[in-house]
Amino acid sequence: MTDAYDYSDRIGRVEPSATLAISNLAAEKEAAGVDIVDLSVGEPDFDTPQNVVEAGKDALDAGHTGYTASSGIPALTEAIAAKLRGNGIDATADEVIVTPGGKQALYETFQTLIGDGDEVVLLDPAWVSYEAMTKLAGGSLSRVDLAPHGFQLEPAIDELAEAVSDETELLVINTPSNPTGAVFSEAALKAVRDLAVDHDIAVISDEIYERIVYDAEHISLASLDGMFDRTITINGFSKAYSMTGWRLGYLHAAEEFVGQAGKLHSHSVSCATNFVQHAGVEALANTDESVEEMRRAFAARRDLLVDQLADHGVDVAVGDGAFYMMLPVDDDDTAWCERAIEEAAVACVPGSAFNAPGFARISYAASEARLREAIDRLVTNDLL
Ligand code: PMP
Ligand code: GLU
């Protein structure tokens, strides 16, 4: 112990990421020789498409190893703007900041908008880091629970209308959702738009799972009338292109916002990794087939899980996107997850981490054989 470290109030307000903590625990057990079926972390189990890997290598060989413009190389910011125009957002390259991962884009957004006591509204179950980022920025939280509505937003709009007010600074929308897989309907997003406009609220639209959608259509919030100037669209390469470790993401917002967030970006990360950005250009240009292959594999896994669980009498709310499923478990979901990893060697994340007690999150970014194995082990150990 030393008195030299006088920790900030800010850092005392948060815990380490629960999703990463469980996957670290699973990795430790694996290293100790335990065969864990790891359904904890949200990480596609596919290789990064080979052409993207080659583009990264070529960029290294070509000497793209220095700093870049803080907001990103023009080839990438322009490709991102063009991609967003495809989503119906009237984007230009100077409204984009390229970041080391979507998480950094979110962090910069919270830090840019939220100060002491500013209210952030979250839809529960909500991905762990939204709460932590709010607290790190000094904000206060107001939450709307989608669990009683099968994790859908449309039936919860009246509750959302009650939760937001002129005091609300920021609302966070994540569709397709981590941790539920829910894809929000156009009607729900239009209702969000109406509330945001009425109360003059900024909205984060975290669209990192947009390419992993099954029986639904992904709609970009910023494409709706009235939303361009109040939406910060977050996206990244981790999930769509299986590029988690490359650390590449971005935000898009009106130029005025980008000017403010860009200050934080330039004083913290400077820029995203140069050669990784070049690989990102290739990912946006030439991966439609690989993305489709992964999407189909995820869809088949989801269906397999739903069937297997139904065989054991477990009904789940079936999501239309991402690669997550909320499994109803014991009230004490943390104890259930501890038993799952200790007794059945299956790693899942307790729903409490997402403010959804009574559930465990399954990430089905694992092979069908491993998913079957997980269900077998849970059944054998009386966890299902
Ligand atoms: N948003 C959501 C909802 C996520 O699940 C993740 C996963 N890590 C991220 C953002 C950030 O991902 P990354 O930093 O790898 O781009
Ligand atoms: N987003 C993924 C998850 O929820 C990766 C880990 C993290 O960044 O939280 O598991």
Side-chain angles (χ1 to χ4, degrees):
M1 282 293 275
T2 164
D3 291 334
Y5 301 132
D6 190 5
Y7 298 109
S8 65
D9 290 345
R10 178 186 320 113
I11 208 67
R13 286 183 218 128
V14 294
E15 296 297 324
S17 164
T19 46
L20 297 179
I22 307 257
S23 81
N24 288 346
L25 177 63
E28 271 169 34
K29 287 186 175 289
E30 283 271 338
V34 187
D35 170 36
I36 300 279
V37 183
D38 186 1
L39 309 182
S40 66
V41 76
E43 175 162 43
D45 55 323
F46 300 100
D47 292 333
T48 301
Q50 193 54 35
N51 58 317
V52 176
V53 174
E54 292 304 329
K57 287 185 190 168
D58 289 349
L60 274 172
D61 287 341
H64 294 301
T65 54
Y67 294 129
T68 71
S70 183
S71 56
I73 58 172
L76 184 56
T77 52
E78 273 162 25
I80 289 168
K83 178 249 174 287
L84 292 172
R85 288 195 292 276
N87 290 54
I89 305 172
D90 193 15
T92 58
D94 44 16
E95 295 158 353
V96 172
I97 301 180
V98 177
T99 51
K103 209 180 240 181
Q104 175 70 16
L106 284 163
Y107 184 74
E108 290 177 10
T109 302
F110 278 90
Q111 288 292 321
T112 299
L113 288 177
I114 301 304
D116 283 340
D118 288 342
E119 184 184 84
V120 177
V121 175
L122 298 184
L123 304 177
D124 285 330
W127 178 51
V128 279
S129 294
Y130 301 140
E131 175 177 328
M133 289 184 194
T134 304
K135 289 179 170 169
L136 286 168
S140 67
L141 285 162
S142 169
R143 324 188 65 130
V144 176
D145 191 8
L146 304 188
H149 304 288
F151 305 126
Q152 274 301 333
L153 175 56
E154 204 177 323
I157 284 298
D158 289 347
E159 286 156 59
L160 179 61
E162 271 176 37
V164 298
S165 71
D166 292 352
E167 300 304 306
T168 306
E169 194 70 40
L170 180 65
L171 167 65
V172 182
I173 301 290
N174 169 218
T175 178
S177 156
N178 176 4
T180 69
V183 176
F184 298 150
S185 65
E186 185 171 8
L189 295 178
K190 285 188 165 160
V192 165
R193 183 266 315 277
D194 294 345
L195 289 170
V197 170
D198 276 0
H199 296 290
D200 211 10
I201 299 170
V203 185
I204 285 179
S205 183
D206 182 345
E207 306 186 9
I208 199 155
Y209 296 99
E210 73 156 320
R211 301 293 302 271
I212 308 169
V213 169
Y214 313 122
D215 316 309
E217 192 201 350
H218 171 78
I219 295 166
S220 285
L221 199 58
S223 71
L224 301 183
D225 280 351
M227 287 310 285
F228 183 90
D229 278 342
R230 62 180 68 253
T231 307
I232 302 94
T233 302
I234 306 288
N235 212 323
F237 294 72
S238 288
K239 317 293 172 168
Y241 312 108
S242 201
M243 290 177 71
T244 47
W246 294 73
R247 311 308 302 129
L248 193 64
Y250 57 91
L251 66 80
H252 169 270
E255 208 174 338
E256 173 195 318
F257 177 94
V258 163
Q260 295 298 315
K263 293 193 276 186
L264 179 64
H265 187 71
S266 71
H267 286 302
S268 54
V269 296
S270 299
C271 61
T273 306
N274 191 335
F275 54 88
V276 169
Q277 294 188 52
H278 287 271
V281 174
E282 177 69 13
L284 283 174
N286 290 314
T287 46
D288 282 354
E289 259 176 50
S290 319
V291 169
E292 180 56 15
E293 244 172 66
M294 292 190 262
R295 192 192 70 81
R296 279 174 198 267
F298 287 132
R301 293 164 181 190
R302 177 199 62 169
D303 295 345
L304 171 99
L305 263 184
V306 171
D307 288 350
Q308 294 254 313
L309 288 166
D311 286 348
H312 296 287
V314 183
D315 248 355
V316 288
V318 183
D320 270 325
F323 37 68
Y324 304 109
M325 187 175 286
M326 288 296 257
L327 185 66
V329 296
D330 301 349
D331 288 349
D332 188 347
D333 51 284
T334 305
W336 188 92
C337 285
E338 270 167 25
R339 282 188 55 208
I341 195 163
E342 295 300 339
E343 295 169 22
V346 175
C348 319
V349 183
S352 302
F354 311 98
N355 217 31
F359 292 92
R361 187 192 75 175
I362 293 179
S363 163
Y364 52 87
S367 69
E368 294 190 14
R370 293 303 271 172
L371 292 172
R372 282 205 182 86
E373 174 73 24
I375 302 291
D376 277 356
R377 290 184 188 188
L378 293 174
V379 169
T380 310
N381 287 277
D382 275 340
L383 282 147
L384 285 183

